[in-house]
Amino acid sequence: MHFLIFAIICSVSVSVLFKLTKKFNIIIPQMIAIGYVVALSLSYVLLKPDFQGLSFTEFFIQSPAMPIFLTLGIILPLGFIVMSKAIEYGGIVRTDAAQRLALFLQIVAAVVLFGETLSHFRIVGVIVAFAALFCLLFKPATTVENALKAALALAGVWLIWGTSGILYKKTALLGGAFPTTLFISFTLAAVIMLTILLLKRTQWTVPSFVGGLILGCLNFGNILFYIYAHQYFKENPTIVFATMDLGVICLGALVGAWAFKERLSKTNMIGIVLGISAILLMYVEKFL
């Protein structure tokens, strides 16, 4: 359970960092690039990836995990870029909604891809979880400029976050091989972002570099603890998917209200209560 708590704290901290980028004149692509350089460095030093006597290139080609780290290497940086565009065109609230509604994809994957059988408590928990999500994400409709761009960006966030969550679960199933898969994924993400910035001849800034250092540590911690949680609850991925999404959005709502003075409606407060109830339902069998 403590792995999930750490993952939730790291995830919410990443959202807070993105909210502060304009205030500190942080250039988001630069921050993302530096962030993945930091993440791959941490994964190499702390996780000590093992290439099983093969060179990096040989492992890249021969590893059965290649589809996983190749996909992650592409969608990880893409996810942050699309998220920044979704925030620009659709606003933070709608972007958070798109991220957390990726729970739909992950629950389907838990049953279809990972063969989980949902108990009665967890079925009720899932239903309550979806009710909590809609309550937490409720906001009266407002006019949004560039509606088509917003719709495409938000759809991209929903798809990318849902897919990455499923791939993290598959990474967790690799057991001792997951450090290598994670390291290569971060390496690909860093190479892609740095190549884009070099082609654009970007002018590097100190705030973006510092932001990247912070993002890299938080992102590495978020993914690492999330994978550890999947390994601990390897037979019950629904617990991890639901607890992570609901935990992030509940804590995010509270942090937003306290730190950024964002108002919580009665519906949002009901959502927080429902979210806590859904998490308890997910775990209740452990205590029966």
Side-chain angles (χ1 to χ4, degrees):
M1 181 63 179
H2 59 283
F3 292 135
L4 276 172
I5 293 173
F6 292 145
I8 289 168
I9 292 172
C10 288
S11 182
V12 172
S13 299
V14 168
S15 297
V16 171
L17 179 61
F18 269 89
K19 288 182 181 181
L20 295 174
T21 52
K22 285 188 177 180
K23 180 178 180 180
F24 292 99
N25 297 315
I26 294 173
I27 300 172
I28 290 176
Q30 290 184 19
M31 181 178 72
I32 295 172
I34 297 299
Y36 279 117
V37 172
V38 172
L40 74 88
S41 300
L42 288 172
S43 66
Y44 184 79
V45 173
L46 299 179
L47 299 181
K48 296 178 172 42
D50 180 13
F51 293 98
Q52 302 171 351
L54 300 175
S55 67
F56 182 93
T57 305
E58 289 173 332
F59 185 90
F60 188 92
I61 296 173
Q62 298 178 22
S63 173
M66 184 180 69
I68 298 177
F69 58 65
L70 188 60
T71 305
L72 279 174
I74 294 172
I75 68 173
L76 285 177
L78 182 62
F80 281 133
I81 293 174
V82 172
M83 184 175 76
S84 68
K85 292 299 181 183
I87 291 173
E88 179 183 350
Y89 296 122
I92 291 174
V93 172
R94 295 177 71 193
T95 302
D96 285 343
Q99 279 182 279
R100 297 311 146 200
L101 288 175
L103 179 62
F104 281 103
L105 288 177
Q106 294 164 346
I107 295 297
V108 170
V111 176
V112 176
L113 297 180
F114 305 119
E116 180 178 3
T117 301
L118 298 181
S119 67
H120 294 303
F121 280 114
R122 286 179 187 157
I123 290 173
V124 174
V126 169
I127 294 171
V128 175
F130 289 144
L133 284 169
F134 284 114
C135 289
L136 284 164
L137 300 171
F138 173 79
K139 185 181 180 182
T142 57
T143 301
V144 179
E145 296 180 0
N146 300 314
L148 179 59
K149 291 181 179 179
L152 291 173
L154 290 167
V157 167
W158 177 78
L159 181 60
I160 290 171
W161 251 254
T163 303
S164 61
I166 294 167
L167 289 174
Y168 291 146
K169 169 60 181 176
K170 293 183 74 68
T171 300
L173 294 176
L174 295 173
F178 95 82
T180 307
T181 300
L182 208 57
F183 173 76
I184 296 179
S185 299
F186 287 148
T187 300
L188 288 173
V191 168
I192 289 171
M193 287 305 304
L194 289 171
T195 300
I196 291 173
L197 292 173
L198 288 173
L199 290 175
K200 288 185 174 182
R201 297 181 180 179
T202 187
Q203 297 295 316
W204 295 88
T205 67
V206 173
S208 303
F209 182 81
V210 174
L213 294 177
I214 298 171
L215 177 63
C217 294
L218 292 174
N219 191 32
F220 174 76
N222 175 32
I223 295 172
L224 180 65
F225 292 129
Y226 187 64
I227 289 174
Y228 280 155
H230 269 300
Q231 290 181 331
Y232 184 79
F233 294 104
K234 59 184 177 181
E235 302 298 329
N236 306 115
T238 300
I239 288 181
V240 181
F241 290 142
T243 303
M244 183 68 185
D245 281 352
L246 288 167
V248 166
I249 203 164
C250 287
L251 181 59
L254 294 174
V255 169
W258 175 71
F260 297 98
K261 309 302 179 185
E262 296 179 0
R263 295 180 60 186
L264 291 175
S265 67
K266 291 182 179 179
T267 305
N268 297 148
M269 294 301 295
I270 291 172
I272 292 176
V273 174
L274 287 175
I276 295 171
S277 301
I279 292 172
L280 291 175
L281 284 167
M282 294 290 179
Y283 288 97
V284 67
E285 288 176 289
K286 295 285 184 181
F287 304 101
L288 292 179

